Amino acid sequence: MEKIEHTIVPTNGINMHIASIGTGPVVLFLHGFPELWYSWRHQLLSLSSLGYRCIAPDLRGYGDTDAPPSAASYTALHIVGDLVGLLDHLGIDQAFLVGHDWGAVMAWYFCLLKPDRVKALVNMSLAYRPRNPKRKPLESFRALFGDDYYVCRFQEPGEIEEEFAHAGTASIIKRFLTSRSPRPPCIPKGGFRTSPNTTLPAWLSEEDVNYFVSKFDNRGFTGGLNYYRALDLTWELTAPWTNAQIKVPVKFIVGDLDITYHIPGAQEYIHKGGFRRDVPFLQEVVVMEGAAHFINQEKPEEISAHIYDFIKKF
């Protein structure tokens, strides 16, 4: 880990912290919520040892990267703009993309908006879902799961932050990272104020938790929550890309216990032709048995191997 270099890069009007290691073709890793570059610690070491230059930023709003205060500054256009600016600053023409959770969402948008900058994509957890021109995302979530669905609960600025603060950062990090229920997380008001006592799995140490906690204690959760709060604004801004396809080579990986794999219609979409219709260069779909949402940390060796086996073809 001490071989990983940490630098600050100016991009798109913010300063972005990146962790990097290795030389060779570039692999850009995009983390999710509530995470950091650190979620890719295993893959950085593994892929760099195989001849790749691995770069994992703290995305806008996270860790040691700037966090603009307004939720309107967290649309997909902002995030993709940050990443294109990062590649430009580093003099990188094309990169392999690897995404998970919100990082996967932003990786899909990156491929939609700037496919010329992407050699190939390995995405985890969240399959591509084309824009529904008839209904905004929050309306869809409310219709499916109700107002207590966590994405809906995250909308009111300050409310969920107060609940997280009451529970304590360590409790929140453990609650998210160790969750293994495939059911949709519906948490009534006040439901985050207390978190159950959690036994850490073998793949997550107290040292790991403490690293996340140190950064979220310093930065807060608002930056990460603002991605959820910008969902409908992203929907509005991406209207010109309605019905657009993802036109880069793709490998998709999901755990069979991942909540995203159990959203109504998800498995049918992934396996019955819809996914391949919208992502015509989809080459592999991997469903990992017994794995939950934070698959890159839970199954680090397998995920590193899956990434390498795909990108080495290009």
Side-chain angles (χ1 to χ4, degrees):
M1 289 283 285
E2 64 278 359
K3 293 179 181 176
I4 295 173
E5 295 181 2
H6 295 271
T7 49
I8 300 293
V9 172
T11 174
N12 195 23
I14 65 168
N15 290 313
M16 174 173 270
H17 164 252
I18 63 169
S20 59
I21 183 172
T23 57
V26 173
V27 187
L28 182 62
F29 295 89
L30 309 179
H31 69 78
F33 178 90
E35 300 180 84
L36 302 162
W37 75 268
Y38 189 81
S39 300
W40 299 109
R41 59 198 178 278
H42 305 293
Q43 288 75 31
L44 291 179
L45 298 177
S46 178
L47 272 294
S48 64
S49 73
L50 293 167
Y52 291 89
R53 180 182 179 188
C54 299
I55 300 171
D58 284 334
L59 294 177
R60 172 182 292 239
Y62 286 94
D64 295 321
T65 292
D66 288 349
S70 169
S73 298
Y74 290 80
T75 70
L77 276 72
H78 289 88
I79 309 307
V80 174
D82 296 344
L83 298 169
V84 170
L86 169 64
L87 294 181
D88 288 347
H89 181 85
L90 297 175
I92 297 163
D93 182 45
Q94 276 195 319
F96 293 107
L97 275 188
V98 179
H100 170 259
D101 188 78
W102 265 109
V105 175
M106 293 307 168
W108 292 125
Y109 277 117
F110 195 125
C111 294
L112 197 64
L113 301 173
K114 294 294 290 180
D116 56 303
R117 305 299 294 270
V118 183
K119 285 184 186 174
L121 166 66
V122 179
N123 242 1
M124 291 164 227
S125 183
L126 279 133
Y128 180 63
R129 293 310 296 257
R131 181 181 183 274
N132 178 355
K134 296 178 181 176
R135 191 158 73 172
K136 294 183 178 183
L138 282 177
E139 198 181 329
S140 297
F141 284 129
R142 285 199 171 94
L144 272 174
F145 304 119
D147 288 338
D148 286 345
Y149 187 56
Y150 79 106
V151 175
C152 304
R153 287 287 329 281
F154 285 180
Q155 294 303 310
E156 186 60 38
E159 183 179 292
I160 211 73
E161 287 93 330
E162 188 277 329
E163 290 192 23
F164 282 9
H166 192 274
T169 305
S171 177
I172 294 298
I173 294 295
K174 290 177 182 179
R175 179 172 183 159
F176 274 90
L177 295 188
T178 63
S179 173
R180 300 192 67 75
S181 171
R183 295 192 303 274
C186 293
I187 316 289
K189 283 199 175 184
F192 280 108
R193 290 174 67 86
T194 56
S195 282
N197 289 327
T198 306
T199 302
L200 293 184
W203 55 267
L204 187 69
S205 70
E206 285 290 350
E207 184 183 9
D208 296 331
V209 171
N210 290 341
Y211 186 85
F212 285 110
V213 169
S214 70
K215 297 302 179 182
F216 280 97
D217 272 347
N218 183 53
R219 172 63 72 203
F221 287 95
T222 299
L225 293 166
N226 279 341
Y227 286 66
Y228 298 91
R229 293 166 184 164
L231 267 168
D232 281 356
L233 182 54
T234 288
W235 178 88
E236 293 174 20
L237 294 171
T238 53
W241 289 273
T242 302
N243 297 324
Q245 293 176 308
I246 299 292
K247 297 254 180 108
V248 304
V250 173
K251 179 174 186 171
F252 178 70
I253 308 169
V254 65
D256 67 353
L257 297 177
D258 195 320
I259 55 170
T260 64
Y261 193 57
H262 294 270
I263 290 173
Q267 294 179 36
E268 182 181 3
Y269 174 77
I270 290 169
H271 300 295
K272 300 287 180 66
F275 196 11
R276 195 169 295 279
R277 176 196 66 224
D278 298 325
V279 186
F281 304 128
L282 178 66
Q283 297 189 13
E284 293 180 64
V285 172
V286 178
V287 181
M288 295 182 67
E289 289 187 20
H293 181 67
F294 294 93
I295 194 166
N296 48 329
Q297 297 186 73
E298 181 184 344
K299 303 283 186 184
E301 294 85 8
E302 294 95 320
I303 292 299
S304 294
H306 275 303
I307 296 168
Y308 178 65
D309 288 345
F310 187 60
I311 66 175
K312 71 180 181 183
K313 300 174 184 176
F314 300 92

